[in-house]
Amino acid sequence: ATQLVANAESTMALQSPPMTLQLQPRTRRTAATTYALFVVFGVGSWVTVNAMFTELPLLVATAPEGWRLASVLALTVQFANVGPLAFYVARRWALHRYPETGDAIVAAVTTYVVMALGALAMGALVFCWDATWMFGGTEHSAPLIALTFLAAFADCTSSLVFWRFAGGFRPLFVSALAAGEGTSGVVSSALAWLQNASNEQPRFSPSVYFALLAGVMLCSLAAFHALRCAPFALAERMAPSSDQPSADADDRPLAGAPPAMVGAGCDGDLYAALCGKASAGVGGAPGESAAARPLHSASALGIEADMVGQVSTGDVVRCESGAGNSRTSSVRCLSREAIWLLMLQAWLNVLQNGVAVSCLSLAAQPYGRGAYQVAQTVSLFVDPLAAALGFRLRAGAWVLLPVALAVTATHGYILALSLVSVTPPLTVPEGSGFGAGAQLLVLVVAVGRALTAYSKMRVNVLLQEGAHEDGEYRLMVSGVAIQTGAFAGSLVMYLLINHTALFRGGS
């Protein structure tokens, strides 16, 4: 009988091949490949919205709104924050319905959907970027505005799900995502330079421009899929511990999965949620299914219950009940330092997405059409450089205060130039070339964008490093702060530009 049982077990093992992949060891090559994939993935975060403003010199030539189109599109982008709200509602519903698996499934599916929507919006603009509709006896660029909303719906939601995904990896890859997000501006600007968008006779039409951007979105989608599935990328995931995560923590194993095994076709978290392979994983009892433990609970992360909610700074002032189930529940807390960083993140996006986006086209008007194009392009090129190179400049949370003041000053200059009551300095007669005033504007815009990109990246790194176990949650909250600041800034600037006489006209 014993022999028959052994034979039966052997037969079952042969008939059921394991659905696992061997993790590759971490090397410089795997880290570099993962970094590159994160950059390509990050490009898909804001490339579509950046493209709308980079292409603005050609769009306003046919748009009935003229140069005021910039403020209209800026507000449209911020109304697309219903995307993050929809994600939040879906996430809460999934956690209520499927406490163990809902969070991971919703986050993964949402990421795929928003990137597909971005590609769809760019593809549709190929055919109707210059179409206009009549509303109330007035002509409007309705298809352009509607598809900008669709693209922004995807991009705004990416601020939550992209950073949340990066929170499961080492801080190095948080920097990579920041560089990729900045590179989205480089990609759109590079295509605009090839197009020669600042001239009345471009090398190719906006239709070709938007078709190329649809292809870029598909490449970013492929990079995300690789980051979820490739064994070398999964090996770069960061296991939580009671110590602060370090940028040099190269030897930590994949979080939420057995040390030598991950599910084929899904990342560690989703593998645990969907596949439910039995293992003696981190924090679990021998033989306990990974899916039997909440993905963000204390037991799933190998941390004692009384450690949940503690932060390295110790001074806890804001707590939020996390999702739990019958087995366990968690409390997430934020320190005073974390709250300061989130407030700073919101303010930086008030300036970048409110003041700069809405006012730059008006501030550049006295210097000619080319001044806007150069300022926009240069700022988008310095963004990823500042985010990537700035990773080695390890400024603390409170050191970022003077940097924030400098950012505020540069954006104050842009705001002042867009006012009717301000005489722009160093102007030259029309047709005299790129004068000193235009050069000064470009310099101010570039410095402001570089400091903003560095500060936003550093805020996210500090938030992740300050978390004991839930860096993904903190970076998701940072995404909420980003979108809140952007919406507030864009709404205020839209009202001021379009409903007061303080700013230059759009003609």
Side-chain angles (χ1 to χ4, degrees):
T2 303
Q3 184 63 37
L4 289 174
V5 171
N7 290 339
E9 291 178 346
S10 176
T11 302
M12 292 175 63
L14 290 173
Q15 291 176 348
S16 303
M19 295 292 291
T20 61
L21 291 174
Q22 188 74 22
L23 284 179
Q24 295 185 5
R26 286 176 176 167
T27 64
R28 290 184 180 274
R29 177 175 295 180
T30 61
T33 304
T34 304
Y35 192 98
L37 285 173
F38 259 106
V39 172
V40 177
F41 170 49
V43 167
S45 61
W46 284 97
V47 68
T48 55
V49 169
N50 282 328
M52 303 307 300
F53 291 95
T54 306
E55 193 73 352
L56 206 58
L58 288 180
L59 298 180
V60 299
T62 59
E65 295 84 358
W67 280 100
R68 289 184 184 269
L69 181 65
S71 63
V72 174
L73 294 183
L75 185 64
T76 301
V77 168
Q78 300 315 317
F79 275 128
N81 277 301
V82 295
L85 291 177
F87 168 73
Y88 177 79
V89 172
R91 180 174 176 267
R92 299 303 298 179
W93 174 85
L95 286 172
H96 176 74
R97 186 74 180 272
Y98 309 103
E100 296 90 358
T101 63
D103 192 20
I105 294 174
V106 169
V109 171
T110 300
T111 305
Y112 282 114
V113 169
V114 298
M115 300 188 80
L117 284 178
L120 177 64
M122 294 298 100
L125 282 171
V126 171
F127 305 100
C128 58
W129 65 270
D130 57 348
T132 59
W133 293 352
M134 296 293 294
F135 289 104
T138 306
E139 195 175 15
H140 298 279
S141 304
L144 176 66
I145 295 171
L147 291 172
T148 298
F149 175 85
L150 182 62
F153 182 95
D155 289 0
C156 291
T157 310
S158 75
S159 292
L160 273 67
V161 293
F162 283 24
W163 289 109
R164 178 195 181 280
F165 178 72
F169 290 77
R170 292 186 290 146
L172 172 65
F173 302 109
V174 175
S175 170
L177 180 60
E181 186 176 285
T183 304
S184 65
V186 173
V187 170
S188 59
S189 294
L191 292 176
W193 272 107
L194 291 175
Q195 183 189 27
N196 202 13
S198 60
N199 292 335
E200 295 182 0
Q201 297 296 328
R203 295 187 180 94
F204 52 86
S205 69
S207 295
V208 176
Y209 179 80
F210 290 123
L212 293 173
L213 288 166
V216 170
M217 287 299 300
L218 294 177
C219 291
S220 297
L221 178 59
F224 170 67
H225 188 69
L227 287 169
R228 288 189 55 247
C229 298
F232 66 84
L234 294 176
E236 297 292 342
R237 292 179 68 91
M238 183 177 65
S241 72
S242 58
D243 297 321
Q244 285 190 4
S246 168
D248 300 323
D250 293 332
D251 299 325
R252 294 180 181 174
L254 170 68
M261 129 180 347
V262 293
C266 52
D267 61 38
D269 284 348
L270 199 56
Y271 168 71
L274 297 179
C275 306
K277 296 295 182 182
S279 68
V282 178
E288 182 181 7
S289 167
R293 300 187 302 274
L295 295 177
H296 297 293
S297 69
S299 61
L301 296 167
I303 299 173
E304 296 299 328
D306 60 355
M307 288 292 293
V308 176
Q310 296 182 15
V311 293
S312 58
T313 55
D315 191 9
V316 175
V317 297
R318 173 71 174 90
C319 299
E320 176 183 337
S321 295
N325 64 0
S326 59
R327 291 177 55 89
T328 183
S329 62
S330 62
V331 178
R332 297 184 173 107
C333 298
L334 297 174
S335 67
R336 297 184 193 279
E337 180 180 285
I339 293 174
W340 148 247
L341 290 172
L342 292 172
M343 292 173 61
L344 175 59
Q345 188 75 284
W347 175 243
L348 291 171
N349 283 275
V350 167
L351 297 175
Q352 177 175 312
N353 297 288
V355 175
V357 170
S358 300
C359 295
L360 181 57
S361 62
L362 303 179
Q365 272 189 1
Y367 302 111
R369 184 175 178 176
Y372 171 80
Q373 185 70 39
V374 173
Q376 178 78 358
T377 302
V378 170
S379 69
L380 295 178
F381 268 96
V382 302
D383 191 303
L385 293 177
L389 300 179
F391 182 72
R392 295 300 177 184
L393 300 176
R394 301 181 180 278
W398 300 106
V399 176
L400 292 176
L401 177 59
V403 180
L405 294 176
V407 172
T408 304
T410 58
H411 286 78
Y413 181 79
I414 298 171
L415 177 64
L417 280 185
S418 64
L419 296 173
V420 174
S421 59
V422 174
T423 301
L426 305 174
T427 55
V428 296
E430 187 175 353
S432 299
F434 204 70
Q439 296 174 21
L440 178 60
L441 176 62
V442 171
L443 177 62
V444 170
V445 169
V447 171
R449 188 59 177 259
L451 293 177
T452 303
Y454 169 75
S455 299
K456 291 171 62 177
M457 178 276 298
R458 193 62 192 154
V459 164
N460 282 332
V461 170
L462 290 170
L463 285 171
Q464 187 195 39
E465 290 180 346
H468 272 275
E469 81 287 350
D470 212 354
E472 293 183 7
Y473 169 75
R474 283 194 169 200
L475 291 188
M476 187 177 70
V477 175
S478 177
V480 173
I482 289 172
Q483 294 309 122
T484 301
F487 176 77
S490 296
L491 178 60
V492 170
M493 293 312 305
Y494 172 83
L495 294 175
L496 291 175
I497 291 174
N498 291 277
H499 296 283
T500 72
L502 298 174
F503 291 82
R504 302 183 190 279
S507 59

